[in-house]
Amino acid sequence: MNINLTINGKSYSQDVEPRLLLIHFLRDVAGLTGTHMGCETSLCGACTVELDGKAIKSCTMFAVQANGAEIVTVEGLANDGKLDPMQEAFWNEHGLQCGFCTPGMIMAAKQIIDRHPSPTEDEIRHGLEGNVCRCTGYQHIVNAVKAAAAGAGK
Amino acid sequence: MIAQKFEYTAPKSLDEALHLLSSGAKPLAGGMSLIPMMKLRLAVPEHLVDLRALKDLNYIREAGGQLHIGATASHYEIESSALLRQKCPLLTETAASIGDVQVRNMGTIGGSVAHADPAADYPAALAALEAKFVLKGAKAERTVSAADFFVDAFSTALQPGEILREVIVPIDDARTGTSYKKMVQPASGFAIVGVAARVRQNAGKVSFVRLGITGLSNHAYRATAAEKALEGKPATPNDIQNAAALVTQGVDANSDLHASADYRRHLAVVHAARAIGTAISRIA
Amino acid sequence: MATTTTKTETFVGKRVRRREDPRLITGTATYVEDIQMPGMHYAVILRSPHAAARIRSIKAKQAEAAPGVVCVFTGKDTKGVGVVPCGIAMPDLRVPQHNILATDRVYFVGHPVAVVVARDRYLARDAAELIEVDYDILPAVADPEKALTKGAPAVHPQWPDNIAFTYHQDGGNVDKVFAEADVVVKQRIVSQRLVPMAMETRGVVAEWRGADRQLNLYTSTQIPHLVRTLVAGMLGLEENRTRVIAPEVGGGFGSKLNVYAEEALMGFVSMRIQKPVKWIESRRENFTCTTHGRGHVDYYEIAAKRDGTILGIKLKLIQDVGAYHQLLTPLIPQLSVLMMPGLYNTQNIRADIVGVFTNCVPTDAYRGAGRPEATHGIERMVDILAAELKMDPAQIRLKNFVTKDKFPYATATGLMYDSGDYAAPLKKALDLVGYVKLRQEQADLRKQGKYMGIGISTYGEICAIGPSPATPAGGWESATVKIEPSGKITILTGACPHGQGEETTFAQIAADELGVGLDDILVTRGDTAVVQYGIGTFGSRATAVGGTALYYALQDLKAKIKKFGAMLLESDDVTLVGGQVVCDKTGKAKPLREIAGASYRALKLPPNTEPGLIATRFWEPPNFTFPFGAHIVVTDIDSETGQIKVRRYVAVDDCGNILNPLIVDGQVHGGVAQGLGQALWEQAVYDDNGQLITGELTDYALPRAHLMPWIESHHTCTPSPVNPLGVKGVGEAGTIGCSPAVVNSAVDALSPLGVRHIDMPLTPEKIWKLLAKKN
């Protein structure tokens, strides 16, 4: 069936099989490979993207369900080569190692400060509940979210 | 992890949806349970009807002295609803304990309760709230109580062709204290056991108590023996303990890798006492 | 034209943010799954749903005829391909024939049976369902101790006792000290099977270029050169025409320190279909088919004097091998034996290993690889001994440590500990945690019936693996440094780091040696066509061994730079400083870019000097390095539910000199998370039929952000004399130090109930049962 959606401000109109997962649409149709498939069962969050302003797991959504939606992926965060403050914070605070979980982690982290502009450590940790990182032990990620929130408040 | 082929419809009206469902299609809401099962090919529906397309199923409103929650209201919408926070905080607290942020953004109350996972969170609260479930078929609509809705593991009163249209819960005023306490299964985020409590006091004694239990057995239930034991009591720690000890009465407890039946029973008792205690502490 | 900057700023030892991050935080890095090629096909592997079965027949006709399908291969087709290699040679080792696809029999759930190749991954998945395999199901055994009992099902019919290998090591006079000891304590300790769970599953893209007889193999691996050598051998290809590329690698933790059937299988498929082919492991496959870690049942005995002096240690180690040996499987428990004495001064050691076949996926390296198991064992035993003797667990450790005047220290297991001051991190950790006060608080809480525990672990590890004679495939590492004509610097490291940050730390080393800025340096890794032969990243070795190779290559280059500088400055008294060669007498200077340009232009050359600025070093380490440290964990136990809450986590690690504290902290945090995972949550559980019942993330509990405590990470610094950088390695320290500290803490909390030992993971139910026993 034909679907229309906007990804990172760009419109896509495409015929797709109903069973095509949104993540495969992003990666294979739109060529945006920053969004990663980690667990396939909506438990690791590596595939997190923003759909109409909300963080969702693109491995557990069919592309047809996103018909008409506006999606932002990690590739849509930097503006004219200027990193998003959350990306910058992950970089400064060493919030990543192998980097595989990072795009989804950054998208989830952005949702935290959208909803809690000055998050407590507890709010940050609970906001990351749906994202697994096997490398960092999360501590530098928590620092990054704190730093991004502090920076945004300035 | 790729689903089998299926047909997909985003219906334009509830009638269209019901028509398709009556001819064998399966409803899709947030997909948080169904889609993983389809990807594992444990569920192989031939036709999905996307209820999220029906914007008029997504609401949270007060009417006739009750709260009406449309089937496709997401966990996040429930968790963050100012109306519910004020008038049914048990539901917001429960919604906030489900899964994780992304799951709460996408998952819906209708999808969750219709799926009837025995370890899901809502059923405890909905049992304690004595919620009503409005089920709509192509021909008629009927209302079912929580006690009748949850039939067995992954089984509800929904008949083929019917959808859950809305959930109705009562308004809890400030004299009612509520609480949801949950032992979390650390891998999945589901409840090993979860206990929802609603308590009112009058002249220093418990005048009303409702306890909903999830995770312990095949489906959520109200622990009426425990409720009875507490009503009329001053709710001393001893009273609470004695009542809590009854929540597992007559219940066949589940057992799995994450908790044996004995441990689950024990946890139900502990969490019941904690939920009652917290609920009482929240009475204004 | 861009030019090389000159700087006097130094970088080593500073919290420099990572140079690999921009591509990772913008989603523009290329992992295997991101690779697209014209005409690329997709493979899906059909795997056994049974742990043990004979294959009566495989019918693939329907699958072959399915839409989009190009072909289906089974074990009959791949008979010409070499076996999946085991890299270990031992006298008693039984090595089953490990074909890349099952032929007549399957040995574990997930055993590959057939591969479907289609033009689209969805169609390949659909077609896999159409293959009919007729299995004759056989009894299976999944528990290594059960596998050793008489009458247990034989995993491999030719070896009915299920013994895969045995290994014995004896040092000192164990019988004598055990006979003379005042006290002997014994304990069975299990180190459960774990799933390494790299966030990126494995994946392979194979591209056969027939006209060139060339195979390009993109694979998510920690060891691209070893994969090249071994896969070329399996496929009968020429090694110089086999190119292995490890693009961005999304975590390995030992699980990608291997050569897997699928790597050769995809090469085979691409050669047969004459097209590129991609296979991406599903998470379910990752759980069931990628190597697991740990899987020990250990029987420890420790002999001591009444004053707490440890006299000797005995260990019977049962290693769950799984159905096959992967690359290093039999080596891993031997590392445990090497590490057995821990930090303690005892020369009497006896170990007996028995490796046991089970109908499970093979075990192999997982973060720490044998050393966490050993440390868990000795650190638990020392606590049990302390409890038996009513000694303080800190005091008994301080009493038995190898003292700092004894280094280098030869262990009874044949190691030579390089340098150490074992009391220093323990004393620092005790201070940081406020040990004396905590013990008082604990006494008060006990009076109130509350359970709080303080757990200490003092660990040592074997890092910088390692001298070649002690390793199966060479223990050296390589580095090339090229200064381009423009003065820009390229480093090629054979170590293939994949998240550990060497693109940054190696740039820091080079920047300081040459006196240039970090932006002038590019660190390249992971492509066998670009990088000289190397060994890989594992065993906390990349910086200590690979960094040292780099250091020596830089020394070679510096000497050559000075020669060219001396020539250009027409003086013999020159110094390389701040990215330029300076004449000591006149103060005149030539910047690196000018020297580099002159070296390539070669109008004039210094005596006996070739043009160009390039140096390669293969550095063979004379010894391992031996980092150490102390972790203290304070836990509170919910007496009703049995839940353990970590109140404090203090880690004092000594990894020698620190090149980048930001990166070292990250390694410690991540290591601790994996240690906590083992201590509290993670377990690969097979049922009696050999089904992995924790085979998805819904049942396999991982450390998550909201479950992790704040880790207070500190250091002491005892440089290693083994390498000129004085570094020891830190990739595995957190994991090794963690699990015994957590278990010791929980046991300490419950000691008033007479609890002496609890096996991991410390699930609330286990704790509840111990609490309930008392009531």
Side-chain angles (χ1 to χ4, degrees), chain C residues 216-492:
Chain C
N216 294 335
L217 197 72
Y218 300 77
T219 180
S220 186
T221 184
Q222 299 171 231
I223 47 166
H225 280 97
L226 297 177
V227 168
R228 185 188 70 174
T229 301
L230 293 165
V231 170
M234 291 164 80
L235 293 171
L237 299 176
E238 297 151 280
E239 189 175 6
N240 59 342
R241 292 169 184 267
T242 305
R243 177 182 180 187
V244 173
I245 299 163
E248 211 71 62
V249 174
F253 314 113
S255 71
K256 295 173 183 172
L257 162 55
N258 229 308
V259 176
Y260 283 100
E262 294 87 352
E263 290 169 323
L265 180 58
M266 289 310 119
F268 168 86
V269 169
S270 182
M271 289 165 76
R272 289 289 286 261
I273 68 170
Q274 302 280 317
K275 299 261 192 227
V277 63
K278 180 192 277 189
W279 167 75
I280 300 296
E281 186 185 53
S282 72
R283 181 55 65 186
R284 175 78 188 166
E285 288 177 296
N286 184 258
F287 268 101
T288 54
C289 311
T290 289
T291 56
H292 289 178
R294 319 284 188 254
H296 274 210
V297 183
D298 294 334
Y299 290 85
Y300 273 97
E301 292 182 46
I302 187 163
K305 288 196 215 164
R306 205 168 306 284
D307 69 357
T309 305
I310 297 169
L311 298 173
I313 308 164
K314 283 198 253 187
L315 167 62
K316 187 183 153 204
L317 190 168
I318 298 169
Q319 171 71 54
D320 179 355
V321 165
Y324 289 111
H325 300 296
Q326 279 281 349
L327 192 60
L328 303 175
T329 304
L331 175 71
I332 308 303
Q334 294 178 53
L335 292 172
S336 301
V337 168
L338 289 177
M339 203 68 252
M340 247 177 91
L343 304 182
Y344 307 112
N345 182 25
T346 175
Q347 290 293 331
N348 304 300
I349 298 288
R350 176 176 297 156
D352 283 289
I353 305 177
V354 54
V356 186
F357 289 122
T358 56
N359 291 106
C360 303
V361 72
T363 54
D364 204 319
Y366 168 57
R367 204 167 191 165
R371 292 155 291 161
E373 297 91 319
T375 303
H376 194 78
I378 184 68
E379 288 303 289
R380 280 268 55 244
M381 290 310 291
V382 168
D383 257 35
I384 292 170
L385 178 64
E388 180 80 19
L389 296 170
K390 300 194 166 42
M391 282 183 76
D392 181 276
Q395 288 312 316
I396 199 168
R397 287 176 166 81
L398 289 166
K399 185 176 182 63
N400 284 288
F401 280 154
V402 173
T403 50
K404 67 176 173 186
D405 54 311
K406 291 219 171 68
F407 291 91
Y409 174 83
T411 72
T413 54
L415 298 173
M416 184 66 78
Y417 288 176
D418 59 342
S419 62
D421 181 359
Y422 298 157
L426 176 56
K427 287 180 175 163
K428 189 169 177 178
L430 291 168
D431 273 354
L432 284 162
V433 83
Y435 188 65
V436 177
K437 256 196 172 159
L438 276 173
R439 285 287 176 208
Q440 281 162 2
E441 186 193 343
Q442 184 183 47
D444 294 341
L445 288 171
R446 280 181 179 167
K447 283 177 203 152
Q448 301 164 40
K450 289 182 179 162
Y451 301 97
M452 180 266 256
I454 307 154
I456 297 171
S457 136
T458 49
Y459 71 91
E461 51 168 334
I462 310 167
C463 287
I465 289 174
S468 294
T471 61
W476 47 267
E477 197 46 88
S478 68
T480 294
V481 184
K482 301 191 279 185
I483 302 182
E484 313 293 357
S486 62
K488 295 289 178 186
I489 297 148
T490 304
I491 295 169
L492 310 174

Side-chain angles (χ1 to χ4, degrees), chain A residues 50 72-92 103 105-111 113-114 144-145 147-149 151-152, chain C residues 17 22 25-26:
Chain A
E50 191 186 286
V72 181
T73 70
V74 70
E75 291 95 335
L77 296 182
N79 211 335
D80 279 340
K82 192 176 164 359
L83 294 175
D84 181 274
M86 190 61 78
Q87 291 172 310
E88 193 79 37
F90 268 69
W91 190 6
N92 289 335
M105 198 61 86
I106 287 175
M107 299 311 291
K110 282 180 64 66
Q111 180 96 93
I113 61 168
D114 283 351
V145 180
Chain C
R17 68 178 185 171
I25 55 179
T26 52

Side-chain angles (χ1 to χ4, degrees), chain B residues 41 185 258 260 263 266 274, chain C residues 126 640-641 698-699 764-765:
Chain B
R41 302 198 173 191
Q185 199 265 67
H258 303 284
S260 67
Y263 184 51
H266 169 76
R274 289 180 181 184
Chain C
D126 289 346
E640 290 186 310
T641 62
T698 43
D699 288 306
E765 180 161 7

Side-chain angles (χ1 to χ4, degrees), chain A residues 19 21 24 27-28 38 40 43 87-88 91-92 94 97-100 125 129 134-136 138-139, chain C residues 17-18 25 31 33-34 121-122 126 195-196 282-283 662 666 669-670 674 682 703-706 710-711:
Chain A
R19 64 171 172 164
L21 293 168
H24 288 145
R27 294 178 52 85
D28 299 344
E40 309 172 72
L43 285 157
Q87 291 172 310
E88 193 79 37
W91 190 6
N92 289 335
H94 187 29
Q97 289 177 28
C98 83
F100 196 79
R125 288 184 181 272
E129 236 170 295
R134 196 59 158 158
C135 293
T136 64
Y138 305 98
Q139 196 149 310
Chain C
R17 68 178 185 171
R18 293 200 320 172
I25 55 179
Y31 297 86
E33 200 185 356
D34 304 336
R121 77 177 99 194
Y122 282 47
D126 289 346
V195 180
S282 72
R283 181 55 65 186
L662 191 63
H669 298 162
Q674 291 186 3
E682 299 182 33
R704 288 177 185 263
H706 65 293
W710 188 262
I711 299 155

Side-chain angles (χ1 to χ4, degrees), chain B residues 205-239:
Chain B
K205 285 186 179 159
V206 172
S207 59
F208 171 93
V209 57
R210 293 289 179 272
L211 297 172
I213 321 288
T214 191
L216 184 65
S217 67
N218 282 354
H219 60 85
Y221 64 93
R222 249 182 71 194
T224 48
E227 293 171 0
K228 267 199 197 109
L230 194 60
E231 269 171 3
K233 298 271 165 53
T236 62
N238 228 3
D239 294 336

Side-chain angles (χ1 to χ4, degrees), chain C residues 171-232:
Chain C
N173 195 337
V174 172
D175 291 331
K176 180 165 175 285
V177 296
F178 270 76
E180 290 171 4
D182 295 328
V183 55
V184 173
V185 291
K186 303 177 183 186
Q187 183 62 48
R188 175 181 186 268
I189 297 174
V190 176
S191 199
Q192 78 274 28
R193 257 185 188 255
L194 300 175
V195 180
M197 248 303 292
M199 290 308 299
E200 181 208 21
T201 60
R202 291 186 294 122
V204 183
V205 170
E207 181 198 22
W208 172 247
R209 298 187 173 196
D212 295 332
R213 304 196 314 276
Q214 160 111 13
L215 179 68
N216 294 335
L217 197 72
Y218 300 77
T219 180
S220 186
T221 184
Q222 299 171 231
I223 47 166
H225 280 97
L226 297 177
V227 168
R228 185 188 70 174
T229 301
L230 293 165
V231 170

Side-chain angles (χ1 to χ4, degrees), chain B residues 1-5 39-41 100 183 185-188 241 257-260 262-263 266-267 270-271 274, chain C residues 121-122 125-126 129 282 638 640-641 643 681 683 685 693-694 696-701 704 707 764-765 768:
Chain B
M1 291 293 280
I2 289 160
Q4 276 192 7
K5 288 188 183 193
K39 288 166 71 182
L40 290 165
R41 302 198 173 191
D100 55 53
M183 181 77 172
Q185 199 265 67
S188 68
Q241 261 330 313
L257 174 76
H258 303 284
S260 67
D262 281 349
Y263 184 51
H266 169 76
L267 289 175
V270 169
H271 286 77
R274 289 180 181 184
Chain C
R121 77 177 99 194
Y122 282 47
R125 173 69 185 81
D126 289 346
E129 208 127 286
S282 72
D638 183 325
E640 290 186 310
T641 62
Q643 272 175 310
W681 304 294
Q683 50 180 337
V685 182
I693 55 177
T694 53
E696 291 282 358
L697 280 182
T698 43
D699 288 306
Y700 190 89
R704 288 177 185 263
L707 300 171
E765 180 161 7
W768 169 70

